[in-house]
Amino acid sequence: MEKFKGNKVVLIGNGAVGSSYAFSMLNQGACDEFVIIDLDERKAKGDAMDLNHGVVYAPSPMKIRYGTYEDCHDAALVVICAGAAQKPGETRLDLVGKNMKIFKSIVDEIMKSGFDGIFLIATNPVDVLTYAVQKFSGLPENQVIGSGTILDTARFRHLLSEEFDVSPNSVHGYIIGEHGDSELAVWSGTNIAGKSLYDILNENPEKQSRIEEIFVNTRDAAYEIIKAKGATYYGVAMGLMRISKAVLNNENVVLTVSAKLNGEYGHDDVYIGVPAIINRNGIREVLETPLNEEEKAKFAKSVQTLKDIQSPFFE
Ligand code: NAD
């Protein structure tokens, strides 16, 4: 069943997000060969050296080096974090024109190498750029994954875990839709350690306003972090590492990623954050989590937001 062999990972874009991802991969011993590519060769070479000095204390050996696009030919996973970052006050969607051009040239180089592994995209606007990578590369849709709402779901579970004083691992819920302002929480499917959030709110109606605040804080977390320190990177790096491990270890785990819809939720021709089963082949299956009428309407709006942005580029 496995089409892909080996577990070489190539990172394109070694900025704040990419280098944090490299560090988390080393810490988790998630692959045995890690290649870094960036326009800023000097900094990337410095990072490769620095990371190599941590290998002796890592859980397993890892070869880390600066490389070229030819390195992609036998990579299991190519992770793209290259591009312009979100500036204070700028929405993720403002970035689209800039990053679309950068992506065309990067994906052309990768495909010239003969790459036939899994793409994982983090650069914003991530849903639109994931769609673009699938179009530019021509690879099967399951082989192209965007980080989607993996980070937003983590932020949501973290805030709920603080509110209810349980581990985020015991909080079950998804943020779906655009990784951005039109995303939504699937409240109807959220449960805290097995008890539905709706039941909890029926018993504790005073918590309703806190729950609404939690969603707003989830959705707007990036703006707050960017205001405070210029960029967000540790959380997304952990999310990227989680998806990478799901692919490399053939986990069949459900994660909220940007996946291509082909009729699921009544939509198609869009990559958007949804729960999906991730394994060695990339996206095994998009899961249709039940949505109530309000959630369906919000999701449809989020799909439209993305289509409005991507369509001028792909008509
Ligand atoms: P950064 O500016 O620190 O890093 C970008 C890197 O890309 C730089 O090292 C730059 O040299 C490199 N680069 C630019 N063009 C390149 C090219 N053509 N080829 C190779 N390398 C190139 O930015 P960052 O803070 O690391 O953010 C990277 C991206 O990740 C941004 O688009 C940001 O919005 C996004 N991001 C996504 C999420 C998410 O949840 N998906 C979260 C945070 C940030």
Side-chain angles (χ1 to χ4, degrees):
M1 157 259 168
E2 280 181 34
K3 176 176 168 189
F4 308 110
K5 302 270 180 264
N7 72 357
K8 177 180 182 181
V9 175
V10 177
L11 166 68
I12 323 267
N14 178 58
V17 173
S19 59
S20 303
Y21 166 70
F23 188 53
S24 66
M25 290 291 277
L26 174 61
N27 263 304
Q28 299 258 340
C31 64
D32 37 50
E33 193 176 354
F34 193 89
V35 178
I36 305 174
I37 299 174
D38 196 290
L39 282 183
D40 187 345
E41 186 174 333
R42 196 153 165 244
K43 194 245 178 196
K45 281 183 170 162
D47 265 344
M49 258 179 97
D50 197 0
L51 288 163
N52 270 313
H53 300 160
V55 171
V56 69
Y57 305 123
S60 56
M62 193 164 148
K63 284 187 184 160
I64 305 164
R65 62 183 167 81
Y66 184 77
T68 67
Y69 282 102
E70 274 170 32
D71 278 297
C72 298
H73 82 278
D74 61 347
L77 189 62
V78 167
V79 182
I80 311 185
C81 305
Q86 201 174 353
K87 300 270 177 335
E90 188 176 49
T91 72
R92 294 183 185 92
L93 299 178
D94 292 334
L95 288 176
V96 68
K98 271 192 247 176
N99 285 336
M100 192 71 83
K101 270 200 203 128
I102 296 175
F103 265 53
K104 177 79 177 86
S105 66
I106 290 177
V107 173
D108 284 353
E109 288 297 322
I110 295 169
M111 297 314 291
K112 262 193 248 162
S113 76
F115 173 66
D116 188 23
I118 309 297
F119 269 114
L120 173 57
I121 315 304
T123 308
N124 280 316
V126 67
D127 303 289
V128 172
L129 290 175
T130 305
Y131 180 90
V133 168
Q134 195 281 320
K135 292 279 178 209
F136 295 155
S137 68
L139 284 180
E141 292 164 355
N142 60 292
Q143 285 177 233
V144 184
I145 311 175
S147 59
T149 46
I150 189 118
L151 173 59
D152 318 71
T153 294
R155 287 171 173 157
F156 181 62
R157 290 173 67 185
H158 164 70
L159 291 173
L160 285 172
S161 87
E162 284 196 324
E163 183 65 25
F164 293 100
D165 196 21
V166 289
S167 158
N169 292 314
S170 302
V171 173
H172 307 284
Y174 300 129
I175 298 289
I176 63 169
E178 173 205 357
H179 170 59
D181 299 342
S182 70
E183 69 187 25
L184 60 134
V186 185
W187 292 119
S188 61
T190 301
N191 75 71
I192 314 293
K195 186 163 180 173
S196 127
L197 185 71
Y198 281 175
D199 288 347
I200 296 173
L201 289 178
N202 278 336
E203 288 166 20
N204 307 276
E206 75 286 354
K207 283 209 179 280
Q208 182 66 44
S209 62
R210 272 296 298 138
I211 293 302
E212 282 158 18
E213 251 174 66
I214 282 176
F215 172 67
V216 171
N217 292 343
T218 299
R219 187 194 58 202
D220 297 345
Y223 294 116
E224 203 181 325
I225 299 171
I226 288 168
K227 227 190 279 167
K229 60 175 216 169
T232 82
Y233 33 91
Y234 297 132
V236 65
M238 291 296 283
L240 292 171
M241 186 276 302
R242 184 68 196 87
I243 299 168
S244 302
K245 284 179 80 174
V247 170
L248 297 171
N249 301 336
N250 196 27
E251 287 188 40
N252 288 303
V253 67
V254 177
L255 298 170
T256 45
V257 296
S258 195
K260 178 79 190 301
L261 297 189
N262 288 304
E264 297 90 346
Y265 300 94
H267 300 283
D268 61 11
D269 200 32
V270 70
Y271 268 85
I272 191 164
V274 282
I277 301 174
I278 307 299
N279 71 11
R280 191 72 199 200
N281 294 319
I283 298 167
R284 191 188 91 188
E285 192 183 335
V286 169
L287 297 182
E288 288 191 77
T289 193
L291 303 180
N292 64 28
E293 290 310 311
E294 191 186 345
E295 290 159 354
K296 277 183 199 164
K298 284 185 178 162
F299 188 74
K301 219 170 148 199
S302 200
V303 167
Q304 199 51 50
T305 301
L306 291 171
K307 285 191 171 177
D308 288 347
I309 292 151
Q310 77 196 22
S311 58
F313 295 93
F314 295 100
E315 259 162 4

